[in-house]
PDB file of all heavy atoms in Angstrom:
ATOM      1  N   GLY A 147      71.136  87.719 117.802  1.00 98.00           N
ATOM      2  CA  GLY A 147      69.967  88.583 117.642  1.00 98.00           C
ATOM      3  C   GLY A 147      70.226  90.065 117.591  1.00 98.00           C
ATOM      4  O   GLY A 147      69.291  90.853 117.513  1.00 98.00           O
ATOM      5  N   VAL A 148      71.519  90.480 117.561  1.00 98.00           N
ATOM      6  CA  VAL A 148      71.828  91.918 117.524  1.00 98.00           C
ATOM      7  C   VAL A 148      73.003  92.212 116.587  1.00 98.00           C
ATOM      8  O   VAL A 148      73.812  91.341 116.271  1.00 98.00           O
ATOM      9  CB  VAL A 148      72.159  92.478 118.932  1.00 98.00           C
ATOM     10  CG1 VAL A 148      70.978  92.310 119.878  1.00 98.00           C
ATOM     11  CG2 VAL A 148      73.398  91.827 119.509  1.00 98.00           C
ATOM     12  N   HIS A 149      73.090  93.487 116.188  1.00 98.00           N
ATOM     13  CA  HIS A 149      74.146  93.951 115.297  1.00 98.00           C
ATOM     14  C   HIS A 149      75.118  94.864 116.059  1.00 98.00           C
ATOM     15  O   HIS A 149      74.715  95.612 116.948  1.00 98.00           O
ATOM     16  CB  HIS A 149      73.559  94.776 114.152  1.00 98.00           C
ATOM     17  CG  HIS A 149      72.557  94.067 113.314  1.00 98.00           C
ATOM     18  ND1 HIS A 149      72.875  93.420 112.155  1.00 98.00           N
ATOM     19  CD2 HIS A 149      71.205  93.945 113.455  1.00 98.00           C
ATOM     20  CE1 HIS A 149      71.777  92.896 111.610  1.00 98.00           C
ATOM     21  NE2 HIS A 149      70.743  93.199 112.382  1.00 98.00           N
ATOM     22  N   GLY A 150      76.389  94.808 115.658  1.00 98.00           N
ATOM     23  CA  GLY A 150      77.400  95.762 116.094  1.00 98.00           C
ATOM     24  C   GLY A 150      78.041  96.374 114.864  1.00 98.00           C
ATOM     25  O   GLY A 150      78.513  95.645 114.004  1.00 98.00           O
ATOM     26  N   ASP A 151      78.099  97.690 114.784  1.00 98.00           N
ATOM     27  CA  ASP A 151      78.413  98.412 113.538  1.00 98.00           C
ATOM     28  C   ASP A 151      79.581  99.358 113.743  1.00 98.00           C
ATOM     29  O   ASP A 151      79.561 100.201 114.658  1.00 98.00           O
ATOM     30  CB  ASP A 151      77.149  99.179 113.124  1.00 98.00           C
ATOM     31  CG  ASP A 151      77.230  99.784 111.743  1.00 98.00           C
ATOM     32  OD1 ASP A 151      78.218  99.573 111.046  1.00 98.00           O
ATOM     33  OD2 ASP A 151      76.255 100.473 111.372  1.00 98.00           O
ATOM     34  N   THR A 152      80.597  99.273 112.872  1.00 98.00           N
ATOM     35  CA  THR A 152      81.772 100.145 113.009  1.00 98.00           C
ATOM     36  C   THR A 152      82.425 100.340 111.648  1.00 98.00           C
ATOM     37  O   THR A 152      82.213  99.564 110.715  1.00 98.00           O
ATOM     38  CB  THR A 152      82.799  99.535 113.983  1.00 98.00           C
ATOM     39  OG1 THR A 152      83.837 100.475 114.234  1.00 98.00           O
ATOM     40  CG2 THR A 152      83.416  98.229 113.444  1.00 98.00           C
ATOM     41  N   CYS A 153      83.209 101.415 111.530  1.00 98.00           N
ATOM     42  CA  CYS A 153      84.000 101.601 110.307  1.00 98.00           C
ATOM     43  C   CYS A 153      85.211 102.464 110.632  1.00 98.00           C
ATOM     44  O   CYS A 153      85.264 103.141 111.663  1.00 98.00           O
ATOM     45  CB  CYS A 153      83.174 102.193 109.177  1.00 98.00           C
ATOM     46  SG  CYS A 153      82.920 103.988 109.225  1.00 98.00           S
ATOM     47  N   ALA A 154      86.212 102.413 109.745  1.00 98.00           N
ATOM     48  CA  ALA A 154      87.414 103.190 109.915  1.00 98.00           C
ATOM     49  C   ALA A 154      88.081 103.436 108.579  1.00 98.00           C
ATOM     50  O   ALA A 154      87.804 102.740 107.594  1.00 98.00           O
ATOM     51  CB  ALA A 154      88.405 102.464 110.863  1.00 98.00           C
ATOM     52  N   MET A 155      88.950 104.430 108.557  1.00 98.00           N
ATOM     53  CA  MET A 155      89.715 104.778 107.369  1.00 98.00           C
ATOM     54  C   MET A 155      91.109 104.150 107.442  1.00 98.00           C
ATOM     55  O   MET A 155      91.689 104.005 108.504  1.00 98.00           O
ATOM     56  CB  MET A 155      89.880 106.294 107.268  1.00 98.00           C
ATOM     57  CG  MET A 155      88.625 107.094 107.091  1.00 98.00           C
ATOM     58  SD  MET A 155      87.736 106.728 105.549  1.00 98.00           S
ATOM     59  CE  MET A 155      88.977 107.189 104.316  1.00 98.00           C
ATOM     60  N   PHE A 156      91.633 103.852 106.244  1.00 98.00           N
ATOM     61  CA  PHE A 156      93.002 103.340 106.136  1.00 98.00           C
ATOM     62  C   PHE A 156      93.701 104.028 104.973  1.00 98.00           C
ATOM     63  O   PHE A 156      93.079 104.360 103.966  1.00 98.00           O
ATOM     64  CB  PHE A 156      92.977 101.811 105.891  1.00 98.00           C
ATOM     65  CG  PHE A 156      92.332 101.042 107.018  1.00 98.00           C
ATOM     66  CD1 PHE A 156      90.969 100.769 106.977  1.00 98.00           C
ATOM     67  CD2 PHE A 156      93.070 100.619 108.091  1.00 98.00           C
ATOM     68  CE1 PHE A 156      90.350 100.067 108.019  1.00 98.00           C
ATOM     69  CE2 PHE A 156      92.478  99.909 109.144  1.00 98.00           C
ATOM     70  CZ  PHE A 156      91.107  99.636 109.087  1.00 98.00           C
ATOM     71  N   GLU A 157      95.001 104.207 105.124  1.00 98.00           N
ATOM     72  CA  GLU A 157      95.812 104.776 104.070  1.00 98.00           C
ATOM     73  C   GLU A 157      96.471 103.640 103.287  1.00 98.00           C
ATOM     74  O   GLU A 157      96.952 102.671 103.890  1.00 98.00           O
ATOM     75  CB  GLU A 157      96.876 105.704 104.659  1.00 98.00           C
ATOM     76  CG  GLU A 157      96.275 106.887 105.424  1.00 98.00           C
ATOM     77  CD  GLU A 157      97.331 107.798 106.027  1.00 98.00           C
ATOM     78  OE1 GLU A 157      98.560 107.527 105.834  1.00 98.00           O
ATOM     79  OE2 GLU A 157      96.971 108.781 106.706  1.00 98.00           O
ATOM     80  N   VAL A 158      96.532 103.776 101.984  1.00 98.00           N
ATOM     81  CA  VAL A 158      97.175 102.761 101.129  1.00 98.00           C
ATOM     82  C   VAL A 158      98.549 103.266 100.757  1.00 98.00           C
ATOM     83  O   VAL A 158      98.684 104.194  99.947  1.00 98.00           O
ATOM     84  CB  VAL A 158      96.329 102.486  99.867  1.00 98.00           C
ATOM     85  CG1 VAL A 158      96.983 101.381  99.052  1.00 98.00           C
ATOM     86  CG2 VAL A 158      94.900 102.108 100.247  1.00 98.00           C
ATOM     87  N   GLY A 159      99.560 102.690 101.378  1.00 96.00           N
ATOM     88  CA  GLY A 159     100.907 103.174 101.152  1.00 96.00           C
ATOM     89  C   GLY A 159     101.065 104.582 101.702  1.00 96.00           C
ATOM     90  O   GLY A 159     100.560 104.927 102.785  1.00 96.00           O
ATOM     91  N   SER A 160     101.748 105.426 100.981  1.00 95.00           N
ATOM     92  CA  SER A 160     101.974 106.813 101.380  1.00 95.00           C
ATOM     93  C   SER A 160     100.945 107.712 100.719  1.00 95.00           C
ATOM     94  O   SER A 160     100.742 107.661  99.504  1.00 95.00           O
ATOM     95  CB  SER A 160     103.386 107.235 100.932  1.00 95.00           C
ATOM     96  OG  SER A 160     103.626 108.595 101.257  1.00 95.00           O
ATOM     97  N   VAL A 161     100.245 108.502 101.530  1.00 96.00           N
ATOM     98  CA  VAL A 161      99.206 109.389 100.997  1.00 96.00           C
ATOM     99  C   VAL A 161      99.602 110.844 101.173  1.00 96.00           C
ATOM    100  O   VAL A 161     100.499 111.169 101.948  1.00 96.00           O
ATOM    101  CB  VAL A 161      97.839 109.119 101.677  1.00 96.00           C
ATOM    102  CG1 VAL A 161      97.470 107.649 101.633  1.00 96.00           C
ATOM    103  CG2 VAL A 161      97.815 109.642 103.111  1.00 96.00           C
ATOM    104  N   ASP A 162      98.942 111.707 100.426  1.00 96.00           N
ATOM    105  CA  ASP A 162      99.216 113.142 100.523  1.00 96.00           C
ATOM    106  C   ASP A 162      98.798 113.690 101.873  1.00 96.00           C
ATOM    107  O   ASP A 162      97.970 113.106 102.586  1.00 96.00           O
ATOM    108  CB  ASP A 162      98.474 113.871  99.392  1.00 96.00           C
ATOM    109  CG  ASP A 162      96.976 113.700  99.515  1.00 96.00           C
ATOM    110  OD1 ASP A 162      96.334 114.516 100.190  1.00 96.00           O
ATOM    111  OD2 ASP A 162      96.454 112.715  98.951  1.00 96.00           O
ATOM    112  N   GLU A 163      99.400 114.803 102.230  1.00 96.00           N
ATOM    113  CA  GLU A 163      99.155 115.395 103.555  1.00 96.00           C
ATOM    114  C   GLU A 163      97.701 115.800 103.764  1.00 96.00           C
ATOM    115  O   GLU A 163      97.144 115.651 104.858  1.00 96.00           O
ATOM    116  CB  GLU A 163     100.059 116.609 103.752  1.00 96.00           C
ATOM    117  CG  GLU A 163      99.955 117.271 105.126  1.00 96.00           C
ATOM    118  CD  GLU A 163     100.511 116.422 106.263  1.00 96.00           C
ATOM    119  OE1 GLU A 163     101.146 115.387 105.992  1.00 96.00           O
ATOM    120  OE2 GLU A 163     100.324 116.810 107.427  1.00 96.00           O
ATOM    121  N   GLU A 164      97.074 116.312 102.706  1.00 97.00           N
ATOM    122  CA  GLU A 164      95.684 116.756 102.836  1.00 97.00           C
ATOM    123  C   GLU A 164      94.769 115.582 103.173  1.00 97.00           C
ATOM    124  O   GLU A 164      93.872 115.685 104.022  1.00 97.00           O
ATOM    125  CB  GLU A 164      95.236 117.429 101.533  1.00 97.00           C
ATOM    126  CG  GLU A 164      93.928 118.194 101.679  1.00 97.00           C
ATOM    127  CD  GLU A 164      93.619 119.024 100.434  1.00 97.00           C
ATOM    128  OE1 GLU A 164      93.969 118.607  99.324  1.00 97.00           O
ATOM    129  OE2 GLU A 164      93.013 120.111 100.603  1.00 97.00           O
ATOM    130  N   SER A 165      94.994 114.439 102.544  1.00 97.00           N
ATOM    131  CA  SER A 165      94.196 113.251 102.842  1.00 97.00           C
ATOM    132  C   SER A 165      94.485 112.717 104.229  1.00 97.00           C
ATOM    133  O   SER A 165      93.585 112.295 104.953  1.00 97.00           O
ATOM    134  CB  SER A 165      94.472 112.149 101.792  1.00 97.00           C
ATOM    135  OG  SER A 165      94.076 112.531 100.507  1.00 97.00           O
ATOM    136  N   HIS A 166      95.763 112.732 104.595  1.00 97.00           N
ATOM    137  CA  HIS A 166      96.165 112.271 105.928  1.00 97.00           C
ATOM    138  C   HIS A 166      95.478 113.089 107.022  1.00 97.00           C
ATOM    139  O   HIS A 166      94.947 112.530 107.981  1.00 97.00           O
ATOM    140  CB  HIS A 166      97.684 112.354 106.072  1.00 97.00           C
ATOM    141  CG  HIS A 166      98.185 111.978 107.437  1.00 97.00           C
ATOM    142  ND1 HIS A 166      98.291 110.670 107.872  1.00 97.00           N
ATOM    143  CD2 HIS A 166      98.584 112.754 108.488  1.00 97.00           C
ATOM    144  CE1 HIS A 166      98.735 110.637 109.115  1.00 97.00           C
ATOM    145  NE2 HIS A 166      98.920 111.896 109.509  1.00 97.00           N
ATOM    146  N   LEU A 167      95.473 114.397 106.846  1.00 98.00           N
ATOM    147  CA  LEU A 167      94.845 115.271 107.835  1.00 98.00           C
ATOM    148  C   LEU A 167      93.339 115.075 107.854  1.00 98.00           C
ATOM    149  O   LEU A 167      92.710 115.106 108.931  1.00 98.00           O
ATOM    150  CB  LEU A 167      95.201 116.722 107.576  1.00 98.00           C
ATOM    151  CG  LEU A 167      96.631 117.134 107.872  1.00 98.00           C
ATOM    152  CD1 LEU A 167      96.887 118.565 107.403  1.00 98.00           C
ATOM    153  CD2 LEU A 167      96.930 116.997 109.363  1.00 98.00           C
ATOM    154  N   LEU A 168      92.732 114.876 106.686  1.00 98.00           N
ATOM    155  CA  LEU A 168      91.295 114.634 106.645  1.00 98.00           C
ATOM    156  C   LEU A 168      90.935 113.401 107.456  1.00 98.00           C
ATOM    157  O   LEU A 168      89.953 113.404 108.247  1.00 98.00           O
ATOM    158  CB  LEU A 168      90.838 114.445 105.195  1.00 98.00           C
ATOM    159  CG  LEU A 168      89.381 114.031 104.995  1.00 98.00           C
ATOM    160  CD1 LEU A 168      88.424 115.158 105.417  1.00 98.00           C
ATOM    161  CD2 LEU A 168      89.121 113.633 103.529  1.00 98.00           C
ATOM    162  N   ILE A 169      91.726 112.348 107.320  1.00 98.00           N
ATOM    163  CA  ILE A 169      91.468 111.109 108.074  1.00 98.00           C
ATOM    164  C   ILE A 169      91.614 111.372 109.560  1.00 98.00           C
ATOM    165  O   ILE A 169      90.746 111.008 110.370  1.00 98.00           O
ATOM    166  CB  ILE A 169      92.429 110.005 107.599  1.00 98.00           C
ATOM    167  CG1 ILE A 169      92.069 109.520 106.209  1.00 98.00           C
ATOM    168  CG2 ILE A 169      92.407 108.829 108.593  1.00 98.00           C
ATOM    169  CD1 ILE A 169      93.052 108.565 105.586  1.00 98.00           C
ATOM    170  N   GLU A 170      92.708 111.996 109.941  1.00 98.00           N
ATOM    171  CA  GLU A 170      92.978 112.255 111.357  1.00 98.00           C
ATOM    172  C   GLU A 170      91.874 113.110 111.983  1.00 98.00           C
ATOM    173  O   GLU A 170      91.376 112.817 113.089  1.00 98.00           O
ATOM    174  CB  GLU A 170      94.331 112.966 111.481  1.00 98.00           C
ATOM    175  CG  GLU A 170      94.750 113.310 112.887  1.00 98.00           C
ATOM    176  CD  GLU A 170      96.111 114.001 112.865  1.00 98.00           C
ATOM    177  OE1 GLU A 170      97.137 113.302 112.775  1.00 98.00           O
ATOM    178  OE2 GLU A 170      96.124 115.250 112.951  1.00 98.00           O
ATOM    179  N   ARG A 171      91.454 114.131 111.255  1.00 98.00           N
ATOM    180  CA  ARG A 171      90.447 115.053 111.810  1.00 98.00           C
ATOM    181  C   ARG A 171      89.052 114.438 111.800  1.00 98.00           C
ATOM    182  O   ARG A 171      88.218 114.792 112.652  1.00 98.00           O
ATOM    183  CB  ARG A 171      90.490 116.358 111.018  1.00 98.00           C
ATOM    184  CG  ARG A 171      91.780 117.142 111.277  1.00 98.00           C
ATOM    185  CD  ARG A 171      92.003 118.220 110.240  1.00 98.00           C
ATOM    186  NE  ARG A 171      93.202 119.015 110.541  1.00 98.00           N
ATOM    187  CZ  ARG A 171      93.758 119.857 109.674  1.00 98.00           C
ATOM    188  NH1 ARG A 171      93.236 120.015 108.467  1.00 98.00           N
ATOM    189  NH2 ARG A 171      94.839 120.523 109.998  1.00 98.00           N
TER     190      ARG A 171
END
Side-chain angles (χ1 to χ4, degrees):
V148 299
H149 302 266
D151 189 3
T152 188
C153 81
M155 297 297 300
F156 299 91
E157 299 179 1
V158 183
S160 178
V161 308
D162 61 90
E163 183 68 9
E164 193 171 34
S165 295
H166 176 77
L167 288 173
L168 174 68
I169 289 173
E170 180 180 280
R171 291 164 177 167

